[in-house]
Structures are given as structure tokens and as C-alpha cells.
Amino acid sequence: MDAILMLTQALLAGFSVLGIVAAEPELIGRHLLTLAAAFAGTLLASRVSPSWLVKQARWLFVLSLVVLALVLKFGVGPISDQAARRWLSIGKFYVQPSEFVKIILVLYLASFFDRRGTDYPIIGPVLAIGLAAGMIAAETDLGTATFILALALFILVIIGVPMRRLLAIGMLVLLLAGSVHGVFQHDRLKHVIVRIDAWKVLNQSSPLGRWLHFDPDLLKKLQHQDPKFAQKVREALYQPKQARLIMKAAGPIGHGPGAQPPRILPQRDNDMIFATITYATGWFGAAILLLVYALIFARGLQIAARSSGAISVVALGLTGFLTGQALMNVAVTTAVVPVTGISLPMVSRGGSGLLAAGLAFGILHAISARVLDREVGE
């Protein structure tokens, strides 16, 4: 096992426990079991050959598309949005397949470019990325769909796909994702427009809002044009506004591990757990958490640089998954971007997200061991 990755994973688990104790202490027992399952996934994945995973990537991706189709047909959504379809019920357990698609997509792209090279008519990846993103967007999980597109773009840029192909890929992927979603009712994604407008209202008087030229009277105009829509925008303002106030009240050193935030914050144990941790540990503790992800990024890039071929792409992609999603989550919590519903890897409560992060760590451990064995042999 890679010592640096193991240290960072343990630190993230510690922050996770601290966040759950501060947010929902009655759930700590169940959360510890979920963390144990995630670490078990790490151990199992670290024993699997990365080369074997790359060889199975096409079949894994086809299977993932089938499962996403099952989610759209038989899946269930949150209580607040009965039209959503994000989880599959397996007995007493609920699985969110889109969390695992991130890993499978990385494996698929690594497999394809290892076989075809970077300057090749890449219709396969276009279909893969577009279908996956479109089906996840149809679940009304636009945040995850957007992140998958961003992760794929990150991989394509880093491995050196020519710009002309990147532009063609981008246009085709957006067209395909839009057409897949077009099969479903447009009303199912109205909440996205609500969140974007709420973000604009929250930042209209900030330096960000002035830089982006947000309308300072946006909410008044919405109230005049459509009072019902304006009310939804006000409701969507609640979560990011509360998160911002909680983090501001944290101070430099926070209020202690057992301190619960004084304000009601929706998803404070999941999507907004960064605000909960900040309140407990202060701005100093939040900075340490960010440094842990920075260390993961640095170590992941080091592992990728010491690897070659498809294995290097896998290491790069999984590093982008873990750290890029963390960056997106923090950006949402601090209201730099609109609310997306993206969790904090290896920290937020949620079985599928924790297990997916654990598996990603495990594959990175396996690649690190492979690199070490090769260097010792040389």
C-alpha cells in the first residue's frame, strides 16, 4: 500500500467522522460501518491488476450504461423530488450507479487511447461520454453529468488529444447529451435554472457578481415576471446562504469537534459537509482539509508520471476524479459556483460515494505498487 495515499485517506476519514459527529451524531455508527466498507473496497481494489481492469473497460462501460438505463426505468429519487431517478434499490440497500461510472469512464478512456492513440477519429469515446452524461442528466443529476464531462475533458487535454479533435468531441458530446435528455420532460431540470438564478442573487453584490455583471435587481424582476418562480429562487437561496454564514462564524480555530452549527443547513452531512467541518475546526482546519486533497493531487500526478501507457492515464484520471470533485464541492459550498449536489470524496456521508472513492484509492494503490516493483526490478 502507498504510504502517502494511505495517510491522506485516513485523514479524510477522520475529517468525515468529525463532520458527521457535528452534523448528525445519531448516524455515526452507521457511518463508521460505511467507512469500513470503503476501506475494504480499497484493500480489494489494491489487489486487482490495473492492466486487467483496463482490458475489461469496454465491457464494464457497456454494463454501466445498462445499469443507468435501469435507473431511469426503475430507480428512485429523493423525497424532495419524486420525478428524479438516481438510486437502484437492492433489498435494504440503495446504490447510486453514477458514482461508479466516473471510475469506469476513466478506465474506458485509458483503454481506448492505449489502443488507438490520441490522433484518431474517436467516435467511441464521443458516444461513451455523451451517452453516460446524457443518461445521468436525465436522472436530473446534472451536477454529476457536468462533472463527468469535465473529468473526460481533463483527461483528453492532459494526454495530448489535438485541439481540432477536442473541439469536435465537445460539439458532438453536447449534441448527444442534449438529445438523450430531450427524450425526457424539460420540466425535470427546471431546478437547475432556479439554482443558477439563486447563485446570481447571492453573488450580485459581491466582487464575483460585479465581475460577471450580475443584475443587482434580479430578484425584484423575477418577482414581477413570475412570483412563483421567484419564490423557488428564494428557497434555493437558503442552503448556500446558510453555508456561507456558518463558515463565516467558524473563525480561525472553530468551535470544537462536537460543536453543531447554530443554523439549520440542508445536506450538512453530505453535499455541505465542508461547511460543517469548517465550523467545527475553523478556517485553519478547512485549510488542512484542502491541503490533504492537494497532497493527493501531487501524489497521483507523481504516480501517473512514473507509469506508462494506459496505466498512467488511469492514475491521472482517478486523481482528477478525487481532487476535481473535491474542488467542485468546495466551490459549491463557498458559493463560487451554483449548487450541484456533488459530494466531498471520502468525507461526505453516502454509501455509493464513499465506496467509489475507496475503490479509486485502491486502484491508485495498485498502480503505485506496480511502479515500485518495476523501479526495484530496474
Side-chain angles (χ1 to χ4, degrees):
M1 303 289 278
D2 187 287
I4 295 177
L5 289 178
M6 202 69 235
L7 173 63
T8 57
Q9 193 173 1
L11 287 172
L12 291 181
F15 274 110
S16 180
V17 171
L18 186 151
I20 299 302
V21 168
E24 303 288 349
E26 68 277 5
L27 298 178
I28 188 60
R30 183 175 179 178
H31 185 66
L32 288 173
L33 289 176
T34 307
L35 277 175
F39 275 93
T42 298
L43 180 61
L44 290 174
S46 69
R47 304 298 181 186
V48 178
S49 167
S51 300
W52 182 84
L53 288 174
V54 170
K55 290 179 181 178
Q56 310 306 317
R58 283 180 290 180
W59 300 111
L60 288 173
F61 192 82
V62 171
L63 178 61
S64 70
L65 292 179
V66 172
V67 175
L68 287 176
L70 291 175
V71 172
L72 291 174
K73 180 65 176 178
F74 303 107
V76 297
I79 297 175
S80 59
D81 185 5
Q82 293 299 315
R85 299 286 186 271
R86 298 178 189 174
W87 293 276
L88 277 179
S89 175
I90 304 176
K92 295 182 179 180
F93 299 95
Y94 290 88
V95 179
Q96 189 173 2
S98 59
E99 292 291 339
F100 303 98
V101 171
K102 301 165 189 174
I103 297 176
I104 295 173
L105 183 66
V106 169
L107 294 171
Y108 174 79
L109 290 176
S111 171
F112 182 89
F113 288 110
D114 184 58
R115 290 180 287 108
R116 303 293 188 181
T118 56
D119 194 6
Y120 184 86
I122 43 182
I123 300 300
V126 169
L127 293 174
I129 298 167
L131 278 174
M135 294 175 78
I136 293 171
E139 298 175 5
T140 72
D141 191 357
L142 193 61
T144 299
T146 302
F147 178 74
I148 281 178
L149 292 177
L151 178 61
L153 178 62
F154 169 75
I155 294 173
L156 297 180
V157 169
I158 294 298
I159 67 176
V161 173
M163 183 57 66
R164 68 182 188 280
R165 296 210 180 277
L166 286 177
L167 292 174
I169 291 169
M171 293 175 63
L172 288 172
V173 165
L174 290 175
L175 178 63
L176 183 58
S179 63
V180 171
H181 170 254
V183 176
F184 300 87
Q185 297 178 1
H186 294 286
D187 290 344
R188 291 176 65 179
L189 286 182
K190 274 189 175 180
H191 67 281
V192 176
I193 301 174
V194 171
R195 289 177 177 179
I196 292 174
D197 283 341
W199 173 67
K200 290 180 179 179
V201 172
L202 187 64
N203 288 286
Q204 60 190 5
S205 60
S206 68
L208 175 64
R210 289 192 292 270
W211 181 63
L212 295 173
H213 304 292
F214 288 161
D215 187 348
D217 298 317
L218 176 60
L219 193 55
K220 292 180 181 179
K221 290 182 179 180
L222 291 175
Q223 178 65 35
H224 177 71
Q225 295 169 0
D226 189 342
K228 290 184 178 179
F229 184 80
Q231 179 59 33
K232 290 182 178 179
V233 171
R234 288 193 187 91
E235 293 171 357
L237 271 169
Y238 183 79
Q239 187 183 40
K241 189 175 182 179
Q242 293 291 86
R244 180 176 286 184
L245 290 172
I246 285 172
M247 287 188 290
K248 185 177 180 180
I253 61 174
H255 298 268
Q260 295 190 19
R263 297 173 177 272
I264 297 174
L265 176 63
Q267 296 292 322
R268 60 182 179 177
D269 60 336
N270 199 330
D271 301 345
M272 293 287 170
I273 198 170
F274 183 74
T276 305
I277 292 172
T278 301
Y279 185 79
T281 64
W283 305 330
F284 180 71
I288 292 176
L289 177 55
L290 294 178
L291 284 174
V292 172
Y293 283 110
L295 182 57
I296 293 170
F297 184 75
R299 183 56 176 167
L301 290 186
Q302 187 180 45
I303 293 171
R306 292 180 178 178
S307 304
S308 59
I311 304 304
S312 178
V313 178
V314 172
L316 182 71
L318 294 180
T319 301
F321 157 42
L322 292 170
T323 58
Q325 184 167 315
L327 181 63
M328 191 171 183
N329 175 274
V330 173
V332 166
T333 308
T334 54
V336 174
V337 298
V339 173
T340 60
I342 290 288
S343 62
L344 193 59
M346 210 66 214
V347 177
S348 294
R349 188 176 70 86
S352 297
L354 281 172
L355 183 55
L359 292 174
F361 269 108
I363 298 172
L364 283 174
H365 280 297
I367 297 174
S368 177
R370 185 175 182 269
V371 169
L372 182 61
D373 289 343
R374 189 185 67 207
E375 291 179 348
V376 170
E378 293 174 351

